[in-house]
Amino acid sequence: MTQRRPSQPESADDLLTRLGRLAAQARAGAELQHARVELAEALQREMLPAALPAMPGIRTAARYAPARNGLDIGGDWYDGFPSLDGTLGFSIGDVQGHDVEAAAFMGQIRIALRAVAAFAPDPGEALGQANDLLLSMHRDLFATCSFLRFDPETRVLESARAGHVPAIWATIDGRHGISDDPGGLPLGMLPASEYPVTRRRLTTPGAVVLVTDGVVEGPSFPIEAGLARVTEVVAAGAGADAAELAAEVMKVADCTGHQDDAAVLVLRHDAP
């Protein structure tokens, strides 16, 4: 039987060399992660619209806040665009997952919604067509989303949800609430999914506010409490400037201690 030779103790120079090598590997890994976070944040901000549409009778504003720990960038978006028929389309959503892949998928969803919205008869059909288009790309990601369409002639607001946080609304006469209307599955999960459409005629001045879950939910802050807090803010600012209201709603995210990124989209509608 061969007798094992006792191992030689590691010298101070060898120990310092090994520690230096491990430190260099850790630094390289941290630098790579930092670069990925910076790229994801750059993609996120470049893909968000430079401006939102507005017309007499409706004003819009939005806010976006990156994740607190810098690692959860990439999932949230908002968008607004005019259609050829004179209506305005608005969307907000949250991609499952983070980093560069989620930011890229977010861009694909925005493009898909804009493409199908021009031909879809209502927001529910637009979400259904966007869902099937995303599934054809064979990605392993999914996203929650709300899509709205406003007709300035009839002042009808149509909305549909794909597993997303409900909208919050308030009017200057003191009414307010959470639009917890029926919705469908998140985009990118199952083909041929259906998305019910809710229609409201905006006859009294007020505001409709859309948020992502980073605004209303945190590690020790349940989403019900976050939605209740946003409802209070919207009710108090139903007649305020759209940009001011968006800023006030985003402050709720600071209360929740959110670790995810967060987005707010405000539609301020005036009297007919």
Side-chain angles (χ1 to χ4, degrees), residues 134-155:
L134 293 170
L135 284 169
S136 71
M137 299 177 183
H138 303 291
R139 303 292 295 273
D140 293 328
L141 296 175
F142 63 87
T144 66
C145 175
S146 288
F147 183 65
L148 285 70
R149 178 180 288 168
F150 176 70
D151 187 333
E153 294 295 328
T154 63
R155 301 192 63 79

Side-chain angles (χ1 to χ4, degrees), residues 7-268:
S7 58
Q8 296 295 322
E10 192 170 28
S11 68
D13 288 344
D14 291 340
L15 179 59
L16 289 174
T17 299
R18 186 157 65 90
L19 289 176
R21 184 169 61 251
L22 292 174
Q25 292 174 353
R27 184 168 59 251
E31 290 174 350
L32 176 60
Q33 178 61 30
H34 181 68
R36 289 179 64 87
V37 170
E38 286 190 335
L39 176 58
E41 186 169 2
L43 281 172
Q44 175 89 338
R45 294 194 179 278
E46 285 298 318
M47 290 181 182
L48 294 177
L52 291 170
M55 59 177 56
I58 187 166
R59 288 160 286 165
T60 58
R63 290 289 185 275
Y64 167 77
R68 285 178 177 268
N69 61 14
L71 298 178
D72 292 338
I73 298 293
D76 290 16
W77 87 89
Y78 61 84
D79 196 12
F81 52 91
S83 297
L84 295 176
D85 60 1
T87 61
L88 300 179
F90 300 96
S91 69
I92 191 169
D94 183 3
V95 176
Q96 165 264 337
H98 304 98
D99 208 344
V100 180
E101 186 179 9
F105 190 60
M106 177 268 288
Q108 291 175 329
I109 296 175
R110 280 192 60 225
I111 294 171
L113 279 172
R114 284 189 174 223
V116 301
F119 306 100
D122 57 55
E125 184 66 25
L127 288 179
Q129 293 180 20
N131 176 66
D132 291 340
L133 179 59
L134 293 170
L135 284 169
S136 71
M137 299 177 183
H138 303 291
R139 303 292 295 273
D140 293 328
L141 296 175
F142 63 87
T144 66
C145 175
S146 288
F147 183 65
L148 285 70
R149 178 180 288 168
F150 176 70
D151 187 333
E153 294 295 328
T154 63
R155 301 192 63 79
V156 170
L157 183 69
E158 298 178 315
S159 62
R161 289 195 301 146
H164 196 68
V165 180
I168 300 96
W169 63 273
T171 53
I172 61 172
D173 58 5
R175 293 178 296 142
H176 58 270
I178 299 172
S179 301
D180 199 6
D181 304 314
L185 292 173
L187 303 179
M189 293 192 71
L190 289 176
S193 294
E194 295 185 356
Y195 301 94
V197 178
T198 300
R199 293 175 175 85
R200 293 181 176 86
R201 190 180 301 276
L202 305 181
T203 57
T204 305
V208 177
V209 176
L210 303 168
V211 300
T212 59
D213 57 6
V215 177
V216 293
E217 188 175 29
S220 58
F221 205 90
I223 190 170
E224 294 80 10
L227 284 170
R229 178 60 185 140
V230 171
T231 302
E232 293 175 2
V233 173
V234 177
D241 175 75
E244 293 177 359
L245 181 55
E248 289 299 313
V249 172
M250 184 58 82
K251 290 180 181 178
V252 178
D254 296 330
C255 301
T256 66
H258 71 103
Q259 296 179 341
D260 201 353
D261 46 352
V264 174
L265 178 61
V266 172
L267 311 181
R268 267 282 291 113

